Amino acid sequence: MTTEELLQWTDDLVFAKTEKHLDSVEMAILEGTWQGLKYEEIAKTCNRSNSHVKNIAAELWKTLSDVLGEDIKQSNVCSSLERKAGYNIYNYVNSSSEIVSSKINTHINICQENSKYPEDTRQRSQSPPETAQTPNESPIINLIDAPTLTDFYARTSELSTLKQWILEKHTRLITIYGLSGIGKSALTLQLIEEINTEFDYIIWKNLSNRLTLSRLETELKEFFYQSQQTPLSTIIDCFRQSRCLVILDDVQEIFQIGELAGQYLPEYQDYSKFFRKVTTSSHQSCLILLSWTTPREIVTLEAENQPLKSLNLRGLGEAATEILRQKGLKDEENWLELITLYQGHPSWLKIIAATIKEIYNGSVSLFLADQQNIYLGDLEHLLELHLERLSLSEKQVIHGLANQDQPVNFSETLLDIELSKSEFLQVIKSLIRRSLIEKVEIGERSLLTLNPIFKSYIKQK
């Protein structure tokens, strides 16, 4: 991608968000920054004072921060825009509303930085209605709302499962759920890179700002209509006309806090009908939900044998050794013990590894030998984010489980918990959907065990 192409891409991105194009000075600042020039050098090229260029640049970085959803400054604007251009490969609308096709070399190196991105965009042709896209054509992709993929650790089994569900089983709705930081977004971004040529459109939307369904549908239609001569009336019509992949991230943000898992906030109840309609309607597209827990209707739809699937994402297992290697930890013979202790959770291991480097000079054996209880430290606020969402009855049950030394028989009601059998079972199902407790099969018995990290946190508190 040339400097001119990236400048045009950035200008169109800003215009789409602000309805204002970048002016000549702002363009000069961007071009000069990509060339490694200082503000005083840029000022000379556009016949402005150094202070004027600095002031305009400060406003420009603020605008780009708002547009891109991340902190932009002179030191990172180059890499940030290159990354966004690489991950958001799509044809964009010019001032005359005609579709502009550009061949983007996504291995961009304008700023003397080497980065890896998905495959190049090529000229694509529209697929006819009700037909799947021909492989190797480039989709129109918008991943502006997606997080940055910095590391991806081996998830071969999970990737294989997801590809089978989407490409072979034609699953219409998939929920990937698990604890925060477990790798749901990273897995999905890697999935997109591997299957993007199977779709006409791919878009990532984040519900962390509690996007209403009405607004979501409007934004999706605007995205899908880029190449539609005749706009379609509903999202399902779009899903039928073209093969679309839509990812909704942070779905837990539209669920109630203090209630059983997956219950919607009052103003987001219509999402339940939307998810059901996506699942039960005939179309060739796929909706992926990323969440800490599953929506309540998923269980009912699965019981009805509808084309939807749920993937409970767990730790990395031995693949997590790569994290410890990257962090430069010592005592490799103790790595698996550390990984097991923290359940292969990538974010937890990164945080703990930082402590081991700082306090124990990178020695895993010294860290493990010095732990009478499981060390939590900087993990505590992450754990609390999950616990504060629980209902009162869920808190009662997990506190009861935290006091048990062994897994509890599924048919037993814990002492000092005033719940009916029906209420107890509902709570158990809710906690399982939150990935806080697990069901362990021993012979013909079903036993319950609390996540050991949360168990340690509750007991220490």
Side-chain angles (χ1 to χ4, degrees), residues 411-425:
S411 62
E412 295 177 357
T413 302
L414 300 176
L415 297 176
D416 302 323
I417 297 179
E418 297 180 357
L419 295 174
S420 68
K421 191 67 173 182
S422 175
E423 290 172 331
F424 179 70
L425 292 177

Side-chain angles (χ1 to χ4, degrees), residues 108-254:
I108 307 169
N109 193 23
I110 294 175
C111 292
Q112 293 77 46
E113 298 176 3
N114 293 315
S115 302
K116 293 181 179 179
Y117 298 93
E119 293 299 317
D120 299 350
T121 293
R122 296 170 290 276
Q123 176 74 35
R124 67 170 284 103
S125 59
Q126 290 302 308
S127 301
E130 302 293 347
T131 60
Q133 178 184 333
T134 302
N136 298 321
E137 293 181 354
S138 295
I140 300 175
I141 301 180
N142 183 342
L143 301 181
I144 292 175
D145 285 350
T148 302
L149 178 58
T150 55
D151 298 298
F152 179 74
Y153 306 99
R155 292 276 194 184
T156 306
S157 175
E158 292 90 340
L159 278 172
S160 177
T161 296
L162 289 169
K163 286 193 283 189
Q164 182 187 41
W165 287 350
I166 294 172
L167 304 181
E168 298 178 22
K169 302 296 185 181
H170 306 292
T171 305
R172 296 170 190 156
L173 188 146
I174 295 172
T175 303
I176 304 175
Y177 70 103
L179 297 171
S180 60
I182 198 69
K184 300 181 291 295
S185 295
L187 173 64
T188 307
L189 284 167
Q190 183 64 31
L191 174 70
I192 290 171
E193 184 169 340
E194 295 189 15
I195 68 170
N196 64 80
T197 56
E198 299 294 332
F199 290 90
D200 300 302
Y201 299 92
I202 300 175
I203 185 169
W204 188 298
K205 302 301 295 183
N206 196 300
L207 301 188
S208 60
N209 57 354
R210 295 186 176 176
L211 192 67
T212 64
L213 179 60
S214 175
R215 183 59 191 167
L216 172 67
E217 290 181 324
T218 298
E219 293 183 5
L220 290 179
K221 288 177 184 178
E222 289 173 353
F223 175 65
F224 296 144
Y225 290 170
Q226 291 184 58
S227 56
Q228 295 287 348
Q229 294 181 350
T230 304
L232 301 171
S233 58
T234 69
I235 297 301
I236 299 300
D237 288 333
C238 296
F239 282 6
R240 290 172 177 148
Q241 175 78 12
S242 306
R243 194 166 193 204
C244 310
L245 177 62
V246 177
I247 299 92
L248 298 185
D249 199 356
D250 282 329
V251 174
Q252 76 279 347
E253 295 301 325
I254 62 173

Side-chain angles (χ1 to χ4, degrees), residues 3 6-7 10 27 29-37 77-79 81-82 110-112:
T3 304
L6 193 52
L7 284 170
T10 304
M27 284 291 215
I29 291 170
L30 278 177
E31 185 174 8
T33 301
W34 278 318
Q35 294 172 353
L37 301 181
V77 62
C78 177
S79 58
L81 286 173
E82 289 176 354
I110 294 175
C111 292
Q112 293 77 46

Side-chain angles (χ1 to χ4, degrees), residues 327-372:
K327 296 297 182 181
L329 298 190
K330 304 173 184 176
D331 310 322
E332 189 169 345
E333 66 276 11
N334 298 113
W335 285 5
L336 286 181
E337 182 180 352
L338 183 70
I339 290 169
T340 300
L341 186 63
Y342 292 97
Q343 301 169 52
H345 191 297
S347 294
W348 294 354
L349 284 170
K350 288 177 183 178
I351 292 172
I352 295 302
T355 297
I356 295 174
K357 287 280 288 186
E358 181 180 4
I359 306 299
Y360 296 90
N361 196 30
S363 174
V364 174
S365 61
L366 287 178
F367 171 79
L368 293 173
D370 197 30
Q371 303 305 312
Q372 295 181 346

Side-chain angles (χ1 to χ4, degrees), residues 278-376:
V278 168
T279 305
T280 58
S281 300
S282 176
H283 58 80
Q284 56 180 336
S285 299
C286 181
L287 174 65
I288 297 179
L289 310 180
L290 307 184
S291 180
W292 294 2
T293 184
T294 59
R296 293 191 69 183
E297 65 273 8
I298 295 300
V299 176
T300 304
L301 290 168
E302 287 178 334
E304 296 173 358
N305 201 29
Q306 296 292 342
L308 83 164
K309 296 287 186 181
S310 296
L311 176 65
N312 185 7
L313 197 60
R314 300 184 182 276
L316 291 167
E318 290 190 23
T321 55
E322 184 60 27
I323 295 174
L324 308 187
R325 184 172 290 107
Q326 290 175 352
K327 296 297 182 181
L329 298 190
K330 304 173 184 176
D331 310 322
E332 189 169 345
E333 66 276 11
N334 298 113
W335 285 5
L336 286 181
E337 182 180 352
L338 183 70
I339 290 169
T340 300
L341 186 63
Y342 292 97
Q343 301 169 52
H345 191 297
S347 294
W348 294 354
L349 284 170
K350 288 177 183 178
I351 292 172
I352 295 302
T355 297
I356 295 174
K357 287 280 288 186
E358 181 180 4
I359 306 299
Y360 296 90
N361 196 30
S363 174
V364 174
S365 61
L366 287 178
F367 171 79
L368 293 173
D370 197 30
Q371 303 305 312
Q372 295 181 346
N373 297 310
I374 297 177
Y375 175 77
L376 299 175

